[in-house]
Each structure stands twice: as C-alpha cells, then as structure tokens.
Amino acid sequence: MVTGAGGAGRSTVAAATACAAAAQGHRTLLLSAEPARHLAALLGAAPDAPVPPTDTSAAGAPEPVAAVPGLWLQRIDSGAEFRSRAVALQERGKTVLDLLGAVPLDEDELTELPGAQTFALLRALLLAHGEDAGSADGTPDREGREGGDGAGRDSDGGAGWDIVVADMPPSPQGINLLALPAQLRRYLRRLVPAERQAARALRPVLAQLAGAPMPAQWLYESATRWSQELAAVQRVVESPATVVRLVTEPGPFAAEALRTAGAGLRLHGLALESVVANRLLPAGSADSWLAALAGQQQTALADLREKCEAEGVPLCELPHLGRDPRGPEDLGALAAAARTAVPPGREGGPGLHPPAGAESGPGTDVAYGWLEDRLAGDGRLVWQLPLPGADRDELELVRRGDELTVGVGPYRRVLPLPSALRRCRVSGAGLKGGVLGVRFTPDPELWPEQAGSRPAGRAD
C-alpha cells in the first residue's frame, strides 16, 4: 500500500515499486485509480497512443504492461463500479422501491457520488487477493473453493499475484480508507443487530396488519452480505503480508506529516514498511537558486532521518531525475538509484513492546496494546496503547459503555474494552515514551471481590 502526502509522487513510487518487483521475477499487479492517459504515459506508452476503452464491468480486468514483462495494470474505474453496484442495489431493494412508488434509475443516468472511489479500491483489493463475497464466511465460491486461501488466486483458479502494489489516496484519507472495513462492520452490528432476526416469526403477522410485505428480511440479508465482504477486505488489510509505504517530499512539514501518519498507522494496527523521501535535488550546485532549494531539502531530510532512526523505520531516498518520470527506463532508474539512508531496526525501541507478564495478543481479549495488572500495588489496571509520534495536544480519549474511542489528529479507532476493564472506571491517562497509558480503577459496585484477586485482561 503506497500512500503519503498529496503531490509527493505516490503514483510514481507505486509504479517504480511494481516495475522493480516485476524485474525481480515476481508476478506483479499494480492497482491505481489515476487517469488512463497518466498511467499510460508513466508506464511507457507513446504520448500519442490511443487510450484503450475503459472496462465497463464493475471490477475491470488486469491488462499486461507491454514494456514490463511480469507486470499487470488494473485501473480502478470508480464510476463504472458505482453504477454497477447502484443498479444491483436497486434490484435487491425492488420490493421497498415499489412500496414507495419509486421509479428506478437507469445505469446511464447515474453519476458517481463522492466517496465511491474508496469502495471501488477496497473491492479491487479484495478481488486481487483472490477472495470474493462468497468466500468471506468460508462458504464455497463460484469455483467450489472453501474460503479465501490468501494465496491471491484469480477468478479462473490459476496462479495469482506474488505482489500487489496499491496506489492509495493521499494521507490521511489513504490510512483512514484501510481502517474503513472494521469501522463499517461495527456500524452494521450497531444499526442492524443480527439478534433481531429472532423476531422473524412475527413478520407475516406484521405484514398482514400493515397490508404490505415487510422489508426486514431483505435488510438483514443485505447487511449480512455487506458484513461478509467487509470482513474479507479486513483480512487482506490486517494480513501480516500487507505493509504500508509512506511517500514524502522533504520540506518544512515533512517530519510533522510523517509523525502524524505514523501514529495513525500504529493506532489502526497497520505495519509501516518504509518511508520514501522523493524528488531529492542534487547538492553542491553552482546555481544559487537550486543550491538554496537543495539546502532546504537537506535540512528537512535530516529531521526525517532522525525521526526514522528513533522509530526504527527504514528511510529510502529517491533522486529527482530533472524531468517527470516516463516509461520503464525512468522508473527502473529511480529504483536503481534508491538509497537506504536508515536501515531497518526494531520499531520504536523496547518501550513500545509489552513487558514480560503483560496481557497481550492471541489468547486474550486485549484488542490492541497490552494490559498491566497493578492491583496489588496501587490498585489499578493500566491499558498501555503504543502511539509513537502522538502529541498530547492532538489526543482524544472517550469511554462509551464497553468501548474506548482513541483519537490521534485525524485518526480515530473504537476499541472494545477487555473484560476486566468493563467493571472499572477510567481514573486517568498519560502519554510517556510514545505509549498512552489509560488507568482504570475497579468499580466497587461491579467488582465486589478483593482487589488483586482477579487476573487482568483474561476473558470471562
């Protein structure tokens, strides 16, 4: 997943990444929503070459890039995706529309709405990974396979992709997009609770009283189908094989943007693979104007290096070619000239990892971070949430029922409370060393046992 600041060259870095992977013998797919002419020029088509007609199917189809063996391109047409899905939604909701006396919209009169590109990209990620809605809950898909095997098999059951490179929207939209499947599933659980289907036996009676068929079954079936698709996308995003590459152009606010984006990624549990400093000007130019710009870049680059070294995140530096990259030769030159300025290290140092004995990970109900039991000492339980790069002034913390909402700048995540903390009151919080510690004190009315006799973080 390639994202970063707007205008920093995300599409170029994504294309260079895909070309380098294909050159190494990997079967590579590049996903992008950029205009067709832009992609054609970037990947080496002649400037006057005709642009192939857009695939009007919902998912589109990968096309081989002639100039780069082993590379396929799939342009995401969010307009076609929106029209196809809107028509299908009308068909499923025909009963309700007929009750309202509505006249369905034809496909050719539908106009793409803002936000449609987000869902088109998520669906493209799902299909590129070899899953579909039928495999989301382990039921056989159209090829008779049970569940997604995670191997990226295509719709024909053949060999899939070794690497998928996704040209994402700029941050923070790109990062929030990756967190969207989990958020939408939560909304569905709240707005259309599955347990309400237990009242289905009353629907015929209600329909007779109302004199019209009840749309409840259609609603629950649609919600189930959407939840299954979202769960499949969520598995792709949260897979250990999925990483994020942040692109930035060194400038006065580059380090600040990296800090906020890094905190948002960590909040959502996404892995930051590397940071790419793009379009670096040559140092030592005799031209005073160019030398001044290069000096500003080097000052910002020093801040980026310091930031990446502190958090153990690799920093890759890409030179400015003196022109807009065009074609595999330029993209290959970028990949060949890439320099690793900061090597990989342990992310964030020891302070961002759970100490021995803390409740964390599989086998517990701690969704993120770790839980420390201090009942025997100061009578508290402390939920430690790693947020490297977070600033105290941009933090938001709200408890609502059995959930805790954590916000860092433009990023928010709703976390379910571990079972032991549901019987506690929030007594304070503090940010230290990139870790937000939320302190909980047992509620005497809900926790009558002697403090210290209860193991922290274990499910009831």
Side-chain angles (χ1 to χ4, degrees):
M1 310 289 188
V2 181
T3 184
R10 302 181 322 279
S11 297
T12 300
V13 171
T17 300
C19 287
Q24 295 172 1
H26 300 294
R27 183 177 164 92
T28 306
L29 174 66
L30 173 62
L31 296 174
S32 180
E34 287 293 306
R37 291 190 180 275
H38 180 194
L39 290 173
L42 184 61
L43 294 171
D48 56 350
V51 177
T54 300
D55 188 339
T56 57
S57 65
E63 296 289 340
V65 178
V68 186
L71 176 61
W72 278 257
L73 169 66
Q74 181 173 340
R75 196 182 84 80
I76 301 167
D77 187 347
S78 54
E81 168 79 5
F82 173 79
R83 290 188 291 272
S84 173
R85 304 283 277 185
V87 169
L89 181 62
Q90 287 184 137
E91 288 296 323
R92 289 196 295 269
K94 188 176 184 304
T95 300
V96 179
L97 294 177
D98 289 344
L99 287 174
L100 298 175
V103 178
L105 297 169
D106 294 330
E107 184 172 350
D108 57 5
E109 64 179 315
L110 290 169
T111 302
E112 176 185 355
L113 297 179
Q117 187 180 102
T118 295
F119 294 97
L121 180 53
L122 289 175
R123 183 166 175 79
L125 288 172
L126 177 63
L127 295 176
H129 199 261
E131 294 198 58
D132 60 21
S135 65
D137 62 346
T139 57
D141 62 15
R142 60 179 175 272
E143 293 298 324
R145 296 186 302 267
E146 291 190 2
D149 61 2
R153 299 192 180 279
D154 60 26
S155 60
D156 296 326
W161 313 109
D162 299 323
I163 296 177
V164 176
V165 180
D167 179 12
M168 305 291 291
S171 57
Q173 292 93 335
I175 297 174
N176 283 329
L177 181 151
L178 296 176
L180 188 60
Q183 294 172 345
L184 291 180
R185 291 185 69 201
R186 176 179 175 270
Y187 297 159
L188 283 174
R189 288 194 297 268
R190 287 284 298 272
L191 298 176
V192 191
E195 54 270 17
R196 293 294 180 89
Q197 295 190 65
R200 69 178 62 183
L202 298 177
R203 290 177 195 156
V205 177
L206 296 175
Q208 186 175 6
L209 292 175
M214 302 298 290
Q217 185 61 33
W218 167 84
L219 176 63
Y220 285 115
E221 289 176 353
S222 297
T224 300
R225 181 170 54 253
W226 293 335
S227 182
Q228 290 171 357
E229 291 189 12
L230 291 168
V233 180
Q234 187 178 349
R235 286 200 301 273
V236 174
V237 171
E238 296 178 353
S239 166
T242 299
V243 295
V244 177
R245 181 170 292 182
L246 283 178
V247 183
T248 185
E249 186 173 353
F253 304 106
E256 176 67 13
L258 173 61
R259 178 191 65 78
T260 305
L265 285 171
R266 190 61 188 264
L267 174 63
H268 290 300
L270 303 172
L272 177 57
E273 181 259 357
S274 64
V275 175
V276 178
N278 195 26
R279 298 176 183 152
L280 294 180
L281 298 172
S285 173
D287 185 289
S288 59
W289 183 81
L290 183 60
L293 288 178
Q296 290 180 3
Q297 276 196 342
Q298 290 301 316
T299 300
L301 190 59
D303 292 339
L304 282 176
R305 288 173 182 157
E306 181 181 354
K307 177 74 174 172
C308 289
E309 287 175 352
E311 298 188 5
V313 177
L315 173 64
C316 178
E317 298 177 356
L318 293 181
H320 200 303
L321 296 181
R323 61 188 182 279
D324 290 334
R326 183 183 292 272
E329 290 186 3
D330 283 353
L331 296 175
L334 278 178
R339 188 177 76 87
T340 302
V342 177
R346 194 178 190 213
E347 185 182 357
L352 294 178
H353 299 273
E359 295 288 342
S360 176
T364 72
D365 59 356
V366 182
Y368 179 63
W370 63 91
L371 194 60
E372 292 184 3
D373 186 348
R374 299 182 184 175
L375 293 175
D378 55 12
R380 293 174 177 171
L381 297 168
V382 182
W383 195 2
Q384 304 285 11
L385 305 173
L387 297 174
D391 187 85
R392 178 179 177 180
D393 293 336
E394 63 185 2
L395 283 175
E396 178 185 4
L397 197 63
V398 178
R399 178 179 179 177
R400 184 182 297 274
D402 290 339
E403 296 178 325
L404 186 70
T405 300
V406 183
V408 182
Y411 308 104
R412 302 181 94 211
R413 184 178 181 184
V414 180
L415 295 167
L417 288 176
S419 57
L421 299 185
R422 297 170 192 169
R423 302 188 298 278
C424 299
R425 300 172 179 171
V426 177
S427 56
L431 182 66
K432 182 178 180 181
V435 178
L436 175 63
V438 186
R439 300 183 292 274
F440 290 81
T441 303
D443 187 337
E445 297 181 0
L446 302 177
W447 195 319
E449 297 89 348
Q450 176 68 28
S453 62
R454 178 77 181 168
R458 300 189 182 277
D460 288 340

